[in-house]
Amino acid sequence: MTKTSLDILGIETSCDETAAAVVRRLPDGSGQILSDVVLSQLDLHAAFGGVVPELAARSHVSALDHLIAQALDDSGVALDDIDAIAVTSGPGLIGGLMVGLMTGKAIAMATGKPFFGINHLEGHALTARLTDGVAFPYLLLLVSGGHTQIVLIKGVNEYERWGSTIDDALGEAFDKTAKLLGLTYPGGPAVEQAALEGQAKKFRLPVPMRRDPRMDFSFSGLKTAVRQMAQEQAPLSRQTIADLCLAFQTSVTLSLDDRLTMALTRFSERFPDVKAPALVVAGGVAANKAIRATLQARADQSGFRFIAPPLNLCTDNAAMIAWAGAERLAAGLPADRLDLAPRSRWPLDQNATAVIGHGKRGAKA
């Protein structure tokens, strides 16, 4: 019997999660997650207030082989029946990327399977097609620890970046704000939890980039404003910390809403014939309830469907990498050579003008 579906083994080691998954793409374009195994390194890095690259890479080395075996076992698909290997090859921490790439290449070489080096951002960009069957084109807001971008998703390997951060990513801004206020790592959940006890309008912070005609983001100045207020209020009581967290979260939410309003308008003007267009929000920061509610309301008001993949598929995972590999294979895109090198910086839109400093390794975003 001719096989009509595609089964892809995915590997993700770009930062502080070691992950392996098997995903199936059916002939009608829909997808199934057959297995999804993730080992978080959160406890390993918590004491340092952030990810330590060397520790992350060592952890990947120790865990990856076992996770791949578990993912294959959980999926019920034998390695010989896998159609391709998809591995994150950037952007990310070079040490971690090398672990995943070398492992994936070895499997591809031993089995003769096609090998796809996947852009981590493409994994996020295409996840909504796996979970919700979203049709092209659609708009993506990616808000994570390393990236804050607005991207038009026109098709597989067809991406147009409309906005990006000119300094800190939003998740990074949450982490740094939490640290300066003495809260735990990771900062996003800690700031959100503290903000629940905050008094509205106790502190007022600037709304970054508000009404700027560009769709870019900036959070470095907001972080500095929080520091200055904290210094003025020192020593900080629990209530003051909560008030500052609420002020920070409110400012961030208003900034996202302002930027996104322009993007939704631009999409509608460019694609007037697209019925019930989709706004996809991905990345760990999308778990923040205040941010999520505001973006949902903005999408509803603008006539867009609001789609946010489940949280486990918004944070780093291998299912999205496997799915991106399946999409590329189904679209007839060529597999990668086994001498593919990892890339710490890798813009999703290769034609976009860099908004963050770049050097020999290329633009950050």
Side-chain angles (χ1 to χ4, degrees), residues 148-335:
T148 303
Q149 299 184 8
I150 297 174
V151 185
L152 170 64
I153 312 300
K154 296 185 288 186
V156 179
N157 204 37
E158 296 183 65
Y159 311 111
E160 190 175 301
R161 196 189 70 209
W162 288 359
S164 184
T165 179
I166 63 176
D167 40 59
D168 292 347
L170 183 50
E172 182 183 3
F174 267 99
D175 286 342
K176 291 179 177 178
T177 297
K179 186 173 183 178
L180 72 87
L181 294 177
L183 300 177
T184 57
Y185 174 84
V191 170
E192 181 181 14
Q193 184 62 37
L196 295 175
E197 301 179 11
Q199 302 176 71
K201 300 182 180 179
K202 180 66 180 295
F203 296 109
R204 290 184 179 274
L205 292 169
V207 178
M209 304 291 285
R210 175 175 265 181
R211 299 186 182 89
D212 190 294
R214 296 169 295 171
M215 293 184 199
D216 296 324
F217 303 88
S218 173
F219 301 108
S220 181
L222 177 60
K223 176 190 61 184
T224 300
V226 174
R227 178 183 291 109
Q228 292 173 342
M229 280 192 174
Q231 291 171 343
E232 293 172 1
Q233 299 295 320
L236 299 178
S237 66
R238 176 174 175 174
Q239 185 60 56
T240 299
I241 291 173
D243 294 342
L244 285 170
C245 285
L246 179 57
F248 171 80
Q249 181 175 272
T250 299
S251 180
V252 161
T253 302
L254 291 173
S255 180
L256 289 175
D257 184 48
D258 180 69
R259 310 284 80 205
L260 193 58
T261 299
M262 289 194 301
L264 295 175
T265 299
R266 179 176 175 180
F267 186 98
S268 296
E269 292 174 347
R270 184 163 168 181
F271 301 100
D273 297 329
V274 174
K275 305 301 181 183
L279 167 65
V280 176
V281 180
V285 181
N288 183 290
K289 292 183 175 61
I291 292 176
R292 195 184 185 100
T294 296
L295 298 182
Q296 171 84 67
R298 177 58 60 193
D300 292 344
Q301 184 176 338
S302 301
F304 279 69
R305 292 179 296 140
F306 179 84
I307 296 174
L311 181 58
N312 66 305
L313 296 180
C314 284
T315 53
D316 291 353
N317 66 91
M320 70 178 188
I321 303 303
W323 178 252
E327 291 269 66
R328 296 181 77 84
L329 185 59
L333 296 176

Side-chain angles (χ1 to χ4, degrees), residues 16-29:
D16 59 343
E17 274 89 20
T18 313
V22 176
V23 167
R24 174 170 294 164
R25 188 183 190 279
L26 300 174
D28 63 0

